[in-house]
């Protein structure tokens, strides 16, 4: 293998990038993946994976059935005043920390022959007609195809003016906070508790821990002196369920993991000749979809089309056209629904009313819940 000329280069080694790399390596392609962090590392994420991607993960080589992961079969949702609703999940999901999952996929990718460079932030991608050149601080790489799998926030998007708050029409600016905690909590349940300005998800992951992760708008933090602890006491703990959890939980990290300036919505699945996979093409609100499964599904779609291009079965123009088409068919309506629903949550009166309504008409709740889960692929 020529160490700086590849069939495909992937920028970013989250779920989208790692899964794409593994599938292309399985098809015999020479792949390089550049990740700016070093595995294993934590990520802000609710860590509930919809079962739609269970068989996909097993197929690419992750032995999920042997891992004794929490099997999540019901959801409990509460409004800010604590009124709650519990429903069975049709598709359901499982819990695994991103620390564990991404590291396992990284090992799998290496085993399958993917060249993975860690601590390698890509600063620039340019096309010279025949191929692409990727530049990190240390080295340059060439590839026939480049995929952007760099998530919702990246230097590359900043340079392209793609992700700035407000760059997506109608997008709000959110902040997310995540902890791993020890808590007496049912392993088969995910709970979503609303509070003024946001909501908090809790579910079990590997290692008998719970992932406690919340999303709020930046304004709520500002109103609380930009202090997370104060915001949790003054706002989140107004919900009696969250009050109990925050009081009883043993917090396993000294400080939470946070990310700010998150926006939700559609970007573009192809940008300057790069196929965008996962959150880099558009982000769905965690309440209204399953971003991780969407990232994996996008990698599945892209891997088949890229293989066709590298084989000469389709042209580059057909590759980008077909990827855009399949991407829109698979995700557009999910992202649109998400953007419409997201602003309703965290609105005290509206959420109280919605939970009241869903308690009276439970089948309507089931319909909304099932719209957030896709079909297996
Ligand atoms: C608060 C919150 C809770 C969520 N909860 C859930 C949930 O419970 N279930 C669910 O399914 N989804 C959830 N999601 C969504 C889910 O986390 C994302 O959809 C998913 O992580 C997308 O995967 P990705 O591979 O596209 O991006 P990421 O996992 O973000 O990976 C992108 C990678 O690219 C790297 N990178 C960035 N820039 C560069 C660069 N220039 N060069 C090299 N590397 C770079 C980053 O370090 C990162 O590792 C949640 C999201 C949020 C914000």
């Amino acid at each position: 293998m020529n160490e700086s000329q590849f069939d495909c280069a992937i920028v970013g080694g989250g779920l989208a990038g790692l899964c794409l790399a593994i599938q292309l390596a399985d098809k015999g392609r020479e792949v390089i993946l550049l990740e700016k962090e070093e595995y294993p590392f934590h990520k802000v994420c609710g860590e509930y994976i919809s079962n739609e991607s269970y068989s996909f993960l097993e197929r690419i080589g992750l032995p999920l059935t042997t891992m004794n992961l929490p099997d999540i079969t019901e959801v409990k949702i509460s409004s800010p005043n604590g009124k709650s609703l519990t429903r069975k999940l049709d598709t359901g999901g499982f819990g695994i920390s991103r620390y564990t999952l991404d590291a396992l996929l990284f090992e799998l990718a290496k085993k399958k022959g993917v060249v993975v460079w860690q601590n390698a932030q890509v600063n620039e991608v340019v096309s010279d007609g025949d191929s692409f050149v990727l530049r990190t601080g240390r080295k340059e790489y060439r590839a026939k195809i480049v995929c952007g799998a760099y998530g919702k926030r990246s230097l590359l998007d900043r340079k392209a003016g793609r992700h700035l708050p407000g760059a997506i029409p109608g997008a709000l600016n959110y902040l997310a906070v995540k902890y791993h905690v020890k808590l007496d909590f049912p392993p088969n349940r995910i709970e979503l508790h609303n509070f003024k300005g946001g909501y908090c998800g809790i579910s079990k992951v590997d290692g008998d821990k719970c992932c406690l992760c919340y999303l709020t708008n930046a304004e709520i933090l500002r109103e609380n002196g930009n202090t997370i602890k104060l915001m949790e006491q003054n706002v989140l703990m107004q919900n009696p369920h969250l009050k109990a959890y925050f009081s009883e939980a043993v917090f396993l990290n000294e400080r939470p993991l946070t990310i700010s300036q998150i926006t939700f919505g559609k970007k573009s699945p192809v940008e300057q000749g790069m196929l965008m996979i996962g959150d880099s093409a558009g982000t769905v609100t965690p309440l209204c979809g399953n971003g991780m499964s969407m990232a994996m599904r996008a990698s599945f779609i892209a891997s088949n089309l890229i293989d066709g291009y590298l084989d000469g079965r389709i042209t580059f123009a057909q590759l980008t056209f077909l990827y855009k088409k399949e991407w829109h068919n698979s995700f557009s309506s999910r992202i649109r629904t998400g953007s419409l629903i997201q602003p309703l949550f965290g609105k005290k009166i509206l959420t109280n009313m919605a939970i009241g309504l869903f308690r009276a008409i439970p089948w309507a709740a089931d319909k909304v819940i099932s719209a957030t889960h896709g079909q297996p692929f």
Side-chain angles (χ1 to χ4, degrees):
M1 182 188 297
N2 176 347
E3 269 299 301
S4 39
Q5 167 80 50
F6 295 85
D7 289 331
C8 181
I10 300 169
V11 184
L15 287 184
L18 287 163
C19 290
L20 177 63
I22 291 167
Q23 291 166 91
L24 288 175
D26 278 341
K27 294 177 194 295
R29 302 299 173 189
E30 291 180 348
V31 184
I32 182 167
L33 185 147
L34 299 147
E35 166 55 52
K36 70 179 169 64
E37 305 290 337
E38 191 174 326
Y39 302 98
F41 60 98
H42 289 283
K43 258 187 191 151
V44 177
C45 181
E47 303 183 334
Y48 164 86
I49 306 194
S50 151
N51 275 336
E52 69 189 86
S53 28
Y54 193 97
S55 56
F56 165 78
L57 280 169
E58 285 244 307
R59 212 165 58 236
I60 66 169
L62 209 66
L64 292 175
T65 38
T66 64
M67 290 169 68
N68 194 24
L69 298 169
D71 179 16
I72 300 173
T73 55
E74 64 177 39
V75 60
K76 178 174 176 177
I77 307 172
S78 79
S79 56
N81 65 8
K83 203 189 278 179
S84 71
L85 168 85
T86 302
R87 301 299 300 160
K88 283 262 163 284
L89 285 167
D90 235 10
T91 307
F94 57 99
I96 182 167
S97 75
R98 292 298 298 271
Y99 187 87
T100 304
L101 178 61
D102 291 30
L104 286 172
L105 290 171
F106 160 63
E107 292 300 336
L108 195 58
K110 277 196 307 182
K111 209 167 105 194
K112 296 197 174 201
V114 176
V115 174
V116 185
W117 287 114
Q118 306 180 70
N119 300 308
Q121 168 156 301
V122 176
N123 299 322
E124 197 177 22
V125 179
V126 287
S127 163
D128 65 2
D130 288 338
S131 60
F132 291 88
V133 180
L134 293 91
R135 299 199 174 102
T136 67
R138 275 173 294 177
K139 221 176 152 188
E140 280 192 5
Y141 304 90
R142 276 187 173 274
K144 293 176 197 158
I145 295 277
V146 178
C147 294
Y150 48 69
K152 46 193 151 299
R153 302 190 53 203
S154 169
L155 172 81
L156 292 176
D157 265 2
R158 264 201 303 282
K159 281 188 176 170
R162 267 180 105 229
H163 99 288
L164 299 172
I168 303 167
L172 281 170
N173 184 5
Y174 290 94
L175 157 88
V177 178
K178 170 183 140 171
Y179 300 93
H180 278 148
V181 300
K182 285 274 180 194
L183 191 62
D184 187 14
F185 192 87
N188 68 329
R189 186 188 292 165
I190 178 164
E191 297 192 1
L192 295 169
H193 298 293
N194 285 275
F195 55 86
K196 182 190 156 206
Y199 55 88
C200 177
I202 309 169
S203 54
K204 276 234 152 132
V205 292
D206 52 301
D208 198 30
K209 297 180 295 258
C210 284
C211 174
L212 188 158
C213 183
Y214 63 86
L215 194 72
T216 182
N217 66 60
E219 192 53 39
I220 301 287
L221 183 68
R222 247 192 315 275
E223 285 169 15
N224 287 276
N226 285 321
T227 312
I228 285 179
K229 274 274 158 282
L230 210 58
M231 176 175 71
E232 288 168 355
Q233 277 161 16
N234 292 341
V235 183
L236 278 79
M237 288 167 79
Q238 293 298 313
N239 180 317
H241 302 279
L242 290 178
K243 186 173 183 180
Y245 291 141
F246 272 89
S247 315
E248 288 160 18
V250 176
F251 288 79
L252 300 175
N253 324 88
E254 210 175 294
R255 268 194 295 261
L257 208 61
T258 59
I259 40 168
S260 58
Q261 296 195 327
I262 312 169
T263 54
F264 296 105
K266 206 156 72 176
K267 292 182 184 168
S268 161
V270 179
E271 192 82 49
Q272 294 167 358
M274 273 194 278
L275 302 195
M276 296 295 172
I277 323 278
D279 277 3
S280 59
T283 319
V284 67
T285 127
L287 247 195
C288 309
N290 289 283
M292 288 192 275
S293 287
M294 288 169 65
M296 290 186 258
R297 188 185 289 268
S299 80
F300 176 65
I301 296 170
S303 73
N304 290 323
L305 292 172
I306 291 170
D307 195 46
Y309 168 69
L310 292 170
D311 257 356
R313 278 180 275 130
I314 54 172
T315 63
F316 189 74
Q318 285 170 323
L319 165 70
T320 53
F321 172 81
L322 289 171
Y323 181 66
K324 273 188 211 165
K325 192 170 156 207
E326 288 202 34
W327 191 94
H328 283 293
N329 286 345
S330 303
F331 306 123
S332 276
S333 71
R334 240 156 132 170
I335 291 188
R336 209 171 30 246
T337 312
S339 312
L340 288 174
I341 296 177
Q342 174 70 22
L344 303 180
F345 279 85
K347 302 259 175 6
K348 232 170 154 175
I349 298 171
L350 272 175
T351 331
N352 284 336
M353 275 167 55
I355 298 284
L357 185 75
F358 285 146
R359 272 159 60 129
I361 324 172
W363 60 262
D366 296 344
K367 252 196 138 47
V368 174
I369 294 164
S370 83
T372 64
H373 290 64
Q375 292 303 311
F377 53 98

mmCIF file with all atom_site columns, all heavy atoms in Angstrom, residues 56-70:
data_model
loop_
_atom_site.group_PDB
_atom_site.id
_atom_site.type_symbol
_atom_site.label_atom_id
_atom_site.label_alt_id
_atom_site.label_comp_id
_atom_site.label_asym_id
_atom_site.label_entity_id
_atom_site.label_seq_id
_atom_site.pdbx_PDB_ins_code
_atom_site.Cartn_x
_atom_site.Cartn_y
_atom_site.Cartn_z
_atom_site.occupancy
_atom_site.B_iso_or_equiv
_atom_site.pdbx_formal_charge
_atom_site.auth_seq_id
_atom_site.auth_comp_id
_atom_site.auth_asym_id
_atom_site.auth_atom_id
_atom_site.pdbx_PDB_model_num
ATOM 1   N N   . PHE A 1 56 ? -26.686 -4.515  12.039 1.00 0.00 ? 56 PHE A N   1
ATOM 2   C CA  . PHE A 1 56 ? -25.613 -3.900  11.243 1.00 0.00 ? 56 PHE A CA  1
ATOM 3   C C   . PHE A 1 56 ? -24.290 -3.981  12.001 1.00 0.00 ? 56 PHE A C   1
ATOM 4   O O   . PHE A 1 56 ? -23.259 -4.394  11.455 1.00 0.00 ? 56 PHE A O   1
ATOM 5   C CB  . PHE A 1 56 ? -25.974 -2.438  10.923 1.00 0.00 ? 56 PHE A CB  1
ATOM 6   C CG  . PHE A 1 56 ? -24.823 -1.618  10.423 1.00 0.00 ? 56 PHE A CG  1
ATOM 7   C CD1 . PHE A 1 56 ? -24.389 -1.733  9.103  1.00 0.00 ? 56 PHE A CD1 1
ATOM 8   C CD2 . PHE A 1 56 ? -24.138 -0.748  11.266 1.00 0.00 ? 56 PHE A CD2 1
ATOM 9   C CE1 . PHE A 1 56 ? -23.305 -0.991  8.640  1.00 0.00 ? 56 PHE A CE1 1
ATOM 10  C CE2 . PHE A 1 56 ? -23.060 -0.006  10.813 1.00 0.00 ? 56 PHE A CE2 1
ATOM 11  C CZ  . PHE A 1 56 ? -22.646 -0.129  9.493  1.00 0.00 ? 56 PHE A CZ  1
ATOM 12  N N   . LEU A 1 57 ? -24.315 -3.589  13.281 1.00 0.00 ? 57 LEU A N   1
ATOM 13  C CA  . LEU A 1 57 ? -23.074 -3.599  14.080 1.00 0.00 ? 57 LEU A CA  1
ATOM 14  C C   . LEU A 1 57 ? -22.518 -5.016  14.209 1.00 0.00 ? 57 LEU A C   1
ATOM 15  O O   . LEU A 1 57 ? -21.305 -5.230  14.133 1.00 0.00 ? 57 LEU A O   1
ATOM 16  C CB  . LEU A 1 57 ? -23.320 -2.988  15.455 1.00 0.00 ? 57 LEU A CB  1
ATOM 17  C CG  . LEU A 1 57 ? -23.324 -1.453  15.498 1.00 0.00 ? 57 LEU A CG  1
ATOM 18  C CD1 . LEU A 1 57 ? -23.834 -0.927  16.832 1.00 0.00 ? 57 LEU A CD1 1
ATOM 19  C CD2 . LEU A 1 57 ? -21.931 -0.890  15.214 1.00 0.00 ? 57 LEU A CD2 1
ATOM 20  N N   . GLU A 1 58 ? -23.422 -5.970  14.400 1.00 0.00 ? 58 GLU A N   1
ATOM 21  C CA  . GLU A 1 58 ? -22.961 -7.369  14.497 1.00 0.00 ? 58 GLU A CA  1
ATOM 22  C C   . GLU A 1 58 ? -22.329 -7.811  13.179 1.00 0.00 ? 58 GLU A C   1
ATOM 23  O O   . GLU A 1 58 ? -21.303 -8.472  13.163 1.00 0.00 ? 58 GLU A O   1
ATOM 24  C CB  . GLU A 1 58 ? -24.152 -8.267  14.823 1.00 0.00 ? 58 GLU A CB  1
ATOM 25  C CG  . GLU A 1 58 ? -24.580 -8.147  16.272 1.00 0.00 ? 58 GLU A CG  1
ATOM 26  C CD  . GLU A 1 58 ? -24.386 -9.448  17.011 1.00 0.00 ? 58 GLU A CD  1
ATOM 27  O OE1 . GLU A 1 58 ? -24.901 -10.452 16.510 1.00 0.00 ? 58 GLU A OE1 1
ATOM 28  O OE2 . GLU A 1 58 ? -23.723 -9.450  18.058 1.00 0.00 ? 58 GLU A OE2 1
ATOM 29  N N   . ARG A 1 59 ? -22.977 -7.409  12.080 1.00 0.00 ? 59 ARG A N   1
ATOM 30  C CA  . ARG A 1 59 ? -22.511 -7.819  10.747 1.00 0.00 ? 59 ARG A CA  1
ATOM 31  C C   . ARG A 1 59 ? -21.097 -7.285  10.465 1.00 0.00 ? 59 ARG A C   1
ATOM 32  O O   . ARG A 1 59 ? -20.280 -7.958  9.863  1.00 0.00 ? 59 ARG A O   1
ATOM 33  C CB  . ARG A 1 59 ? -23.494 -7.277  9.713  1.00 0.00 ? 59 ARG A CB  1
ATOM 34  C CG  . ARG A 1 59 ? -23.663 -8.125  8.498  1.00 0.00 ? 59 ARG A CG  1
ATOM 35  C CD  . ARG A 1 59 ? -24.900 -7.741  7.701  1.00 0.00 ? 59 ARG A CD  1
ATOM 36  N NE  . ARG A 1 59 ? -24.949 -6.381  7.243  1.00 0.00 ? 59 ARG A NE  1
ATOM 37  C CZ  . ARG A 1 59 ? -25.929 -5.527  7.509  1.00 0.00 ? 59 ARG A CZ  1
ATOM 38  N NH1 . ARG A 1 59 ? -26.958 -5.890  8.258  1.00 0.00 ? 59 ARG A NH1 1
ATOM 39  N NH2 . ARG A 1 59 ? -25.907 -4.300  7.045  1.00 0.00 ? 59 ARG A NH2 1
ATOM 40  N N   . ILE A 1 60 ? -20.822 -6.052  10.922 1.00 0.00 ? 60 ILE A N   1
ATOM 41  C CA  . ILE A 1 60 ? -19.482 -5.517  10.612 1.00 0.00 ? 60 ILE A CA  1
ATOM 42  C C   . ILE A 1 60 ? -18.436 -6.019  11.615 1.00 0.00 ? 60 ILE A C   1
ATOM 43  O O   . ILE A 1 60 ? -17.262 -5.692  11.506 1.00 0.00 ? 60 ILE A O   1
ATOM 44  C CB  . ILE A 1 60 ? -19.460 -3.971  10.490 1.00 0.00 ? 60 ILE A CB  1
ATOM 45  C CG1 . ILE A 1 60 ? -19.775 -3.272  11.833 1.00 0.00 ? 60 ILE A CG1 1
ATOM 46  C CG2 . ILE A 1 60 ? -20.381 -3.479  9.390  1.00 0.00 ? 60 ILE A CG2 1
ATOM 47  C CD1 . ILE A 1 60 ? -19.493 -1.779  11.810 1.00 0.00 ? 60 ILE A CD1 1
ATOM 48  N N   . GLY A 1 61 ? -18.887 -6.791  12.612 1.00 0.00 ? 61 GLY A N   1
ATOM 49  C CA  . GLY A 1 61 ? -17.894 -7.478  13.451 1.00 0.00 ? 61 GLY A CA  1
ATOM 50  C C   . GLY A 1 61 ? -17.904 -7.151  14.930 1.00 0.00 ? 61 GLY A C   1
ATOM 51  O O   . GLY A 1 61 ? -17.005 -7.552  15.660 1.00 0.00 ? 61 GLY A O   1
ATOM 52  N N   . LEU A 1 62 ? -18.931 -6.418  15.400 1.00 0.00 ? 62 LEU A N   1
ATOM 53  C CA  . LEU A 1 62 ? -18.991 -6.114  16.836 1.00 0.00 ? 62 LEU A CA  1
ATOM 54  C C   . LEU A 1 62 ? -19.888 -7.154  17.521 1.00 0.00 ? 62 LEU A C   1
ATOM 55  O O   . LEU A 1 62 ? -21.084 -7.206  17.233 1.00 0.00 ? 62 LEU A O   1
ATOM 56  C CB  . LEU A 1 62 ? -19.580 -4.704  17.016 1.00 0.00 ? 62 LEU A CB  1
ATOM 57  C CG  . LEU A 1 62 ? -19.123 -3.953  18.247 1.00 0.00 ? 62 LEU A CG  1
ATOM 58  C CD1 . LEU A 1 62 ? -17.640 -3.648  18.148 1.00 0.00 ? 62 LEU A CD1 1
ATOM 59  C CD2 . LEU A 1 62 ? -19.894 -2.654  18.382 1.00 0.00 ? 62 LEU A CD2 1
ATOM 60  N N   . PRO A 1 63 ? -19.338 -7.970  18.419 1.00 0.00 ? 63 PRO A N   1
ATOM 61  C CA  . PRO A 1 63 ? -20.134 -9.071  18.980 1.00 0.00 ? 63 PRO A CA  1
ATOM 62  C C   . PRO A 1 63 ? -21.064 -8.605  20.099 1.00 0.00 ? 63 PRO A C   1
ATOM 63  O O   . PRO A 1 63 ? -20.889 -8.945  21.268 1.00 0.00 ? 63 PRO A O   1
ATOM 64  C CB  . PRO A 1 63 ? -19.049 -10.016 19.521 1.00 0.00 ? 63 PRO A CB  1
ATOM 65  C CG  . PRO A 1 63 ? -17.907 -9.116  19.871 1.00 0.00 ? 63 PRO A CG  1
ATOM 66  C CD  . PRO A 1 63 ? -17.970 -7.920  18.977 1.00 0.00 ? 63 PRO A CD  1
ATOM 67  N N   . LEU A 1 64 ? -22.084 -7.827  19.748 1.00 0.00 ? 64 LEU A N   1
ATOM 68  C CA  . LEU A 1 64 ? -22.953 -7.213  20.767 1.00 0.00 ? 64 LEU A CA  1
ATOM 69  C C   . LEU A 1 64 ? -23.616 -8.250  21.675 1.00 0.00 ? 64 LEU A C   1
ATOM 70  O O   . LEU A 1 64 ? -23.759 -8.015  22.883 1.00 0.00 ? 64 LEU A O   1
ATOM 71  C CB  . LEU A 1 64 ? -24.052 -6.376  20.080 1.00 0.00 ? 64 LEU A CB  1
ATOM 72  C CG  . LEU A 1 64 ? -23.597 -5.117  19.349 1.00 0.00 ? 64 LEU A CG  1
ATOM 73  C CD1 . LEU A 1 64 ? -24.766 -4.475  18.622 1.00 0.00 ? 64 LEU A CD1 1
ATOM 74  C CD2 . LEU A 1 64 ? -22.970 -4.116  20.311 1.00 0.00 ? 64 LEU A CD2 1
ATOM 75  N N   . THR A 1 65 ? -24.014 -9.388  21.086 1.00 0.00 ? 65 THR A N   1
ATOM 76  C CA  . THR A 1 65 ? -24.762 -10.377 21.891 1.00 0.00 ? 65 THR A CA  1
ATOM 77  C C   . THR A 1 65 ? -23.925 -10.931 23.047 1.00 0.00 ? 65 THR A C   1
ATOM 78  O O   . THR A 1 65 ? -24.481 -11.383 24.038 1.00 0.00 ? 65 THR A O   1
ATOM 79  C CB  . THR A 1 65 ? -25.250 -11.573 21.024 1.00 0.00 ? 65 THR A CB  1
ATOM 80  O OG1 . THR A 1 65 ? -24.226 -11.865 20.089 1.00 0.00 ? 65 THR A OG1 1
ATOM 81  C CG2 . THR A 1 65 ? -26.533 -11.265 20.304 1.00 0.00 ? 65 THR A CG2 1
ATOM 82  N N   . THR A 1 66 ? -22.616 -10.863 22.916 1.00 0.00 ? 66 THR A N   1
ATOM 83  C CA  . THR A 1 66 ? -21.761 -11.405 23.988 1.00 0.00 ? 66 THR A CA  1
ATOM 84  C C   . THR A 1 66 ? -21.421 -10.342 25.039 1.00 0.00 ? 66 THR A C   1
ATOM 85  O O   . THR A 1 66 ? -20.713 -10.619 26.000 1.00 0.00 ? 66 THR A O   1
ATOM 86  C CB  . THR A 1 66 ? -20.426 -11.923 23.414 1.00 0.00 ? 66 THR A CB  1
ATOM 87  O OG1 . THR A 1 66 ? -19.717 -10.790 22.872 1.00 0.00 ? 66 THR A OG1 1
ATOM 88  C CG2 . THR A 1 66 ? -20.621 -12.958 22.326 1.00 0.00 ? 66 THR A CG2 1
ATOM 89  N N   . MET A 1 67 ? -21.912 -9.127  24.845 1.00 0.00 ? 67 MET A N   1
ATOM 90  C CA  . MET A 1 67 ? -21.423 -8.029  25.685 1.00 0.00 ? 67 MET A CA  1
ATOM 91  C C   . MET A 1 67 ? -22.316 -7.709  26.882 1.00 0.00 ? 67 MET A C   1
ATOM 92  O O   . MET A 1 67 ? -22.014 -6.790  27.659 1.00 0.00 ? 67 MET A O   1
ATOM 93  C CB  . MET A 1 67 ? -21.202 -6.779  24.818 1.00 0.00 ? 67 MET A CB  1
ATOM 94  C CG  . MET A 1 67 ? -20.019 -6.939  23.881 1.00 0.00 ? 67 MET A CG  1
ATOM 95  S SD  . MET A 1 67 ? -19.920 -5.650  22.632 1.00 0.00 ? 67 MET A SD  1
ATOM 96  C CE  . MET A 1 67 ? -19.530 -4.255  23.643 1.00 0.00 ? 67 MET A CE  1
ATOM 97  N N   . ASN A 1 68 ? -23.423 -8.424  27.015 1.00 0.00 ? 68 ASN A N   1
ATOM 98  C CA  . ASN A 1 68 ? -24.310 -8.247  28.159 1.00 0.00 ? 68 ASN A CA  1
ATOM 99  C C   . ASN A 1 68 ? -24.713 -6.775  28.355 1.00 0.00 ? 68 ASN A C   1
ATOM 100 O O   . ASN A 1 68 ? -24.587 -6.213  29.452 1.00 0.00 ? 68 ASN A O   1
ATOM 101 C CB  . ASN A 1 68 ? -23.585 -8.784  29.420 1.00 0.00 ? 68 ASN A CB  1
ATOM 102 C CG  . ASN A 1 68 ? -24.547 -8.964  30.573 1.00 0.00 ? 68 ASN A CG  1
ATOM 103 O OD1 . ASN A 1 68 ? -25.746 -9.135  30.351 1.00 0.00 ? 68 ASN A OD1 1
ATOM 104 N ND2 . ASN A 1 68 ? -24.036 -8.896  31.797 1.00 0.00 ? 68 ASN A ND2 1
ATOM 105 N N   . LEU A 1 69 ? -25.193 -6.174  27.270 1.00 0.00 ? 69 LEU A N   1
ATOM 106 C CA  . LEU A 1 69 ? -25.551 -4.749  27.332 1.00 0.00 ? 69 LEU A CA  1
ATOM 107 C C   . LEU A 1 69 ? -27.008 -4.582  27.766 1.00 0.00 ? 69 LEU A C   1
ATOM 108 O O   . LEU A 1 69 ? -27.840 -5.459  27.495 1.00 0.00 ? 69 LEU A O   1
ATOM 109 C CB  . LEU A 1 69 ? -25.361 -4.114  25.949 1.00 0.00 ? 69 LEU A CB  1
ATOM 110 C CG  . LEU A 1 69 ? -23.932 -4.139  25.427 1.00 0.00 ? 69 LEU A CG  1
ATOM 111 C CD1 . LEU A 1 69 ? -23.881 -3.733  23.957 1.00 0.00 ? 69 LEU A CD1 1
ATOM 112 C CD2 . LEU A 1 69 ? -23.039 -3.224  26.270 1.00 0.00 ? 69 LEU A CD2 1
ATOM 113 N N   . PRO A 1 70 ? -27.325 -3.469  28.425 1.00 0.00 ? 70 PRO A N   1
ATOM 114 C CA  . PRO A 1 70 ? -28.725 -3.249  28.816 1.00 0.00 ? 70 PRO A CA  1
ATOM 115 C C   . PRO A 1 70 ? -29.646 -3.240  27.590 1.00 0.00 ? 70 PRO A C   1
ATOM 116 O O   . PRO A 1 70 ? -29.368 -2.547  26.611 1.00 0.00 ? 70 PRO A O   1
ATOM 117 C CB  . PRO A 1 70 ? -28.706 -1.867  29.472 1.00 0.00 ? 70 PRO A CB  1
ATOM 118 C CG  . PRO A 1 70 ? -27.288 -1.522  29.703 1.00 0.00 ? 70 PRO A CG  1
ATOM 119 C CD  . PRO A 1 70 ? -26.434 -2.389  28.843 1.00 0.00 ? 70 PRO A CD  1
#
